[in-house]
Amino acid sequence: PAVDKLDLKNIQGDILSGLPKKTEFYYFFNITDGPEFRKDLCDLVPLITTVDQVLKDRKRIDDHKKQKLPGLVPLTGVNISFSHLGFVKLKINDDTLSANPASRTDAFTVGQKKDAVTTLGDPARPDGQPDWDDSFLKNEIHGLFIISGESIESIEKKKREVNKIFGVGSEKASIKEIKTIKGDVRPGDLHAHEHFGFLDGISNPVIKGFDKDVNPGPPVVDPGVIVTGHTGDEAKDRRQDWAKDGSFLAFRWLDQLVPEFDKYLVDNALKEDGNGQTLTPEQGAELLGARMVGRWKSGAPIDLVPFKDDPQLAKDPKRNNNFHYADEINSQLRCPFAAHVRKTNPRNDLEGRPNGVSIPVAPNRIMRRGIQFGKEVTKEEKESATTKLPRGLLFACYQTNLEKGFQFIQQSKVSFGHADSRTSKAHDNHIRLDPIVGQGNRVMSGLDPLDPKKELSMPAFVVPRGGEYFFTPSLKGLKNTIAV
Ligand code: HEM
């Protein structure tokens, strides 16, 4: 079949290529004057960074590196997204975005606040609201600017430009800032690592017809899994033109309890590896962490190197994503069923199983972006094993179906298909709980390779502080329908 042609000048840059960034603002706004906003938006459109622009920017960065030039290439990016309440405020009928236009009970319409406690499992306040920062509780968030760049000066300047377009600070302002959260890549060698210390951003879906370098790994996915209006988007045929070439963005503001996580690893350090080799307390803590995530801190997948890290393998894009749990469908020896990466993308556990049903994984895949926030752990926090300063992940992911993408994964439903979970009830209850993003006190099996049925209980290490669902429209959608 013909491969969809993607108009890279029509798709916002973060969706397919990821805005290049050292630092980034997630700037949440409220629209105070709808008609005025739609006029102002015309002036923002030329500032929006498309996929085409990001590819050019990435080339500039590569050339700069090749020539061994000092410093960083100065560059910024701007993307814009809207919540359902934003479209309501703008009087734009967004039925075309809904998975069920007749009832409009889809996640995008309902919004993440309503979804948080009942569906996502976030802790609740006594009044039943999610225990989030107030700014995410008032139904005021209409849209989001993502402003990225190589330095704080660059993104502050870009934010001033954006504010000027919408008259912020003057009587004619059409928006009000609700909250801006600043994300920062971690310093030095930790730059691609999240705050628990693991290399992140290794495995994202490779898009048919878009990605040129296809490294060995999970099968490529149809563009419509991530970009609306294309093959793989179930609602493709009924998307109105303005809603094509866009994507749904699930945003989550997640605190990570790093000193507590580290202490947990030390307190529960494994004594032996899967070959029965005795481990030092440090090695035992390291292996336990690797088994919770499914990768070593270096990024090397434990499905390939279960008991000893291999930093060379971790760095090699031809090898670091080329694993399938293929010959361990019923085994947790190498990788626990509930390890974060195995639950969030079960690969051949579900798809292409040698015997039995093959359940496609592609509809549940998401394009992860996001950035770290907060300072490094202080000496005092380390010594007291207690978080004093907020830090964590501004999690963001794109997909064309929020229910099958983010919502499904966060509910940890993905590994229901494990042969084991179907046959063993006790097991079924326990493998569901993701040790990284899971909420509440919970138990997990499979952490001890020599005794996979042994259960370890654990508290939550990730605390949700807010979130929302957005739609990130195409450039044409912005120009011809949303702006006037
Ligand atoms: C992969 C950490 C939240 C979905 C990973 C990896 C790490 C990680 C270290 C491995 C790197 C890679 O394969 O690219 C974290 C941390 C989180 C978090 C520390 C919270 C603070 C989430 C959430 C979701 C999610 C909320 C979705 C609901 C995924 C997916 C993968 C992944 C889909 C790729 C799995 C694969 O394709 O093998 N995460 N994550 N993560 N994570 Fe998370």
Side-chain angles (χ1 to χ4, degrees):
V3 177
D4 291 38
K5 205 167 158 20
L6 295 169
D7 178 356
L8 304 184
K9 291 191 171 141
N10 197 33
I11 304 171
Q12 295 201 49
D14 208 30
I15 301 171
L16 283 185
S17 27
L19 298 173
K21 69 217 172 197
K22 285 284 175 215
T23 180
E24 198 164 42
F25 284 142
Y26 278 76
Y27 171 173
F28 301 89
F29 62 89
N30 174 265
I31 300 170
T32 47
D33 182 334
E36 200 56 43
F37 176 88
R38 295 179 72 173
K39 274 192 235 155
D40 294 342
L41 186 60
C42 299
D43 296 331
L44 183 82
V45 173
L47 258 67
I48 299 289
T49 314
T50 62
V51 177
D52 182 65
Q53 183 60 46
V54 172
L55 296 180
K56 288 179 182 144
D57 288 346
R58 290 204 181 278
K59 194 167 175 310
R60 277 169 60 207
I61 297 173
D62 284 350
D63 290 347
H64 187 93
K65 274 191 198 145
K66 270 188 212 137
Q67 293 171 37
K68 299 206 166 82
L69 296 172
L72 298 171
V73 182
L75 50 85
T76 52
V78 180
N79 274 191
I80 186 170
S81 306
F82 297 90
S83 66
H84 169 64
L85 290 178
F87 287 124
V88 172
K89 176 77 187 187
L90 295 176
K91 300 200 164 55
I92 290 170
N93 179 328
D94 64 355
D95 280 352
T96 184
L97 299 179
S98 175
N100 44 11
S103 61
R104 300 267 357 214
T105 52
D106 57 288
F108 177 70
T109 306
V110 169
Q112 201 181 104
K113 186 181 78 165
K114 275 221 181 109
D115 224 23
V117 175
T118 47
T119 312
L120 305 178
D122 288 9
R125 294 180 177 187
D127 66 357
Q129 301 244 60
D131 195 5
W132 285 359
D133 188 89
D134 281 342
S135 47
F136 285 87
L137 293 175
K138 295 183 191 147
N139 300 326
E140 282 183 339
I141 294 177
H142 290 156
L144 162 67
F145 298 116
I146 299 180
I147 305 177
S148 62
E150 94 300 346
S151 70
I152 182 71
E153 292 77 20
S154 294
I155 62 170
E156 275 174 346
K157 182 161 171 260
K158 195 51 98 181
K159 188 180 171 197
R160 285 195 294 274
E161 267 176 65
V162 169
N163 276 341
K164 192 154 176 252
I165 289 173
F166 295 97
V168 175
S170 79
E171 269 173 26
K172 285 188 62 192
S174 59
I175 61 170
K176 182 176 85 182
E177 178 170 346
I178 301 288
K179 184 156 200 90
T180 295
I181 315 177
K182 179 165 82 76
D184 287 298
V185 163
R186 293 183 64 200
D189 289 347
L190 295 171
H191 75 272
H193 294 245
E194 51 71 45
H195 274 288
F196 292 139
F198 296 84
L199 185 67
D200 204 355
I202 310 164
S203 178
N204 257 330
V206 177
I207 306 295
K208 213 181 274 178
F210 171 69
D211 285 295
K212 302 261 173 343
D213 297 326
V214 179
N215 289 314
V220 292
V221 307
D222 285 322
V225 172
I226 307 297
V227 185
T228 51
H230 292 275
T231 309
D233 173 13
E234 280 173 15
K236 173 181 177 218
D237 295 333
R238 53 168 185 75
R239 298 274 188 220
Q240 290 172 3
D241 276 350
W242 73 270
K244 291 179 181 162
D245 280 354
S247 193
F248 291 91
L249 166 57
F251 170 79
R252 297 276 282 168
W253 179 10
L254 300 172
D255 271 0
Q256 288 174 250
L257 306 179
V258 179
E260 289 85 347
F261 179 80
D262 287 344
K263 180 167 191 298
Y264 182 85
L265 297 188
V266 170
D267 288 350
N268 295 280
L270 295 165
K271 306 271 183 300
E272 288 171 297
D273 73 9
N275 297 322
Q277 289 282 332
T278 307
L279 301 173
T280 64
E282 293 75 31
Q283 289 169 331
E286 202 190 336
L287 180 60
L288 179 65
R291 290 183 71 83
M292 287 165 81
V293 172
R295 288 185 184 267
W296 296 91
K297 284 188 175 171
S298 67
I302 60 169
D303 186 41
L304 297 181
V305 281
F307 308 126
K308 196 170 184 316
D309 189 8
D310 182 345
Q312 283 320 100
L313 162 62
K315 274 191 232 140
D316 182 352
K318 298 250 176 293
R319 294 193 290 153
N320 67 11
N321 208 22
N322 191 18
F323 61 99
H324 308 275
Y325 313 113
D327 48 0
E328 55 166 348
I329 284 172
N330 292 314
S331 159
Q332 314 200 63
L333 177 65
R334 298 211 303 266
C335 182
F337 295 139
H340 180 61
V341 301
R342 193 167 182 178
K343 279 195 78 72
T344 55
N345 183 8
R347 304 184 186 215
N348 283 26
D349 278 340
L350 297 186
E351 197 165 68
R353 284 156 63 156
N355 30 36
V357 247
S358 176
I359 303 167
V361 174
N364 305 111
R365 298 210 58 201
I366 53 178
M367 191 65 88
R368 289 175 302 130
R369 301 298 178 208
I371 189 166
Q372 280 58 54
F373 71 90
K375 296 213 158 43
E376 294 297 299
V377 172
T378 62
K379 193 160 164 265
E380 193 206 338
E381 288 180 292
K382 205 176 160 67
E383 280 166 10
S384 62
T386 312
T387 297
K388 299 265 163 62
L389 302 170
R391 65 178 63 76
L393 176 64
L394 303 177
F395 175 88
C397 70
Y398 295 93
Q399 61 257 276
T400 55
N401 186 319
L402 285 165
E403 285 77 10
K404 292 196 173 166
F406 168 73
Q407 205 189 50
F408 187 81
I409 297 174
Q410 178 62 39
Q411 284 177 288
S412 285
K413 280 186 181 171
V414 173
S415 28
F416 274 15
H418 277 296
D420 245 59
S421 72
R422 286 181 179 163
T423 49
S424 151
K425 206 153 188 306
H427 213 156
D428 186 25
N429 284 335
H430 297 150
I431 68 162
R432 266 180 224 165
L433 306 157
D434 185 315
I436 303 299
V437 293
Q439 292 296 306
N441 290 323
R442 58 210 190 284
V443 288
M444 177 180 161
S445 67
L447 287 168
D448 185 342
L450 294 179
D451 185 4
K453 289 223 185 299
K454 183 170 146 193
E455 288 161 357
L456 266 186
S457 55
M458 60 183 74
F461 300 111
V462 167
V463 183
R465 292 179 66 191
E468 187 51 288
Y469 300 131
F470 298 94
F471 181 70
T472 309
S474 67
L475 276 279
K476 283 182 197 152
L478 286 170
K479 241 186 284 188
N480 303 338
T481 303
I482 305 174
V484 283

